[in-house]
Amino acid sequence: MPTISMFYGIIVMMYYFDTERHHLPHIHIRYGEYSCSVSIPDGDILSGEFPKNKLKLVWAWIELHQDELWANWELAINGQKLFDIKPLQ
């Protein structure tokens, strides 16, 4: 699972060919012992748990990088190499 960004201890990843489980464009995030899947279009948690204060950072990052996330999602579902996305600063 490629890491596409890291900021404030949060790791953001996308799986290749990952359309079966959630049926929505999404990212996977980790922070310490927490992990979850988050919808790209609306930031909804699809599965897992995450600290609320860190989730707010992820939501801000998603909003800033919608275009890049959609482009990476298209690459990921086709099994192509993903590009890095700037971290939240």
Side-chain angles (χ1 to χ4, degrees), residues 22-34:
H22 301 297
H23 305 287
L24 290 169
H26 63 279
I27 56 173
H28 297 265
I29 55 175
R30 288 189 187 157
Y31 177 77
E33 70 273 10
Y34 298 97

Side-chain angles (χ1 to χ4, degrees), residues 31-60:
Y31 177 77
E33 70 273 10
Y34 298 97
S35 65
C36 71
S37 300
V38 179
S39 168
I40 292 170
D42 52 24
D44 287 347
I45 293 180
L46 303 174
S47 66
E49 295 181 8
F50 219 71
K52 189 70 166 185
N53 62 331
K54 297 297 181 182
L55 189 57
K56 287 179 181 181
L57 295 173
V58 172
W59 289 336

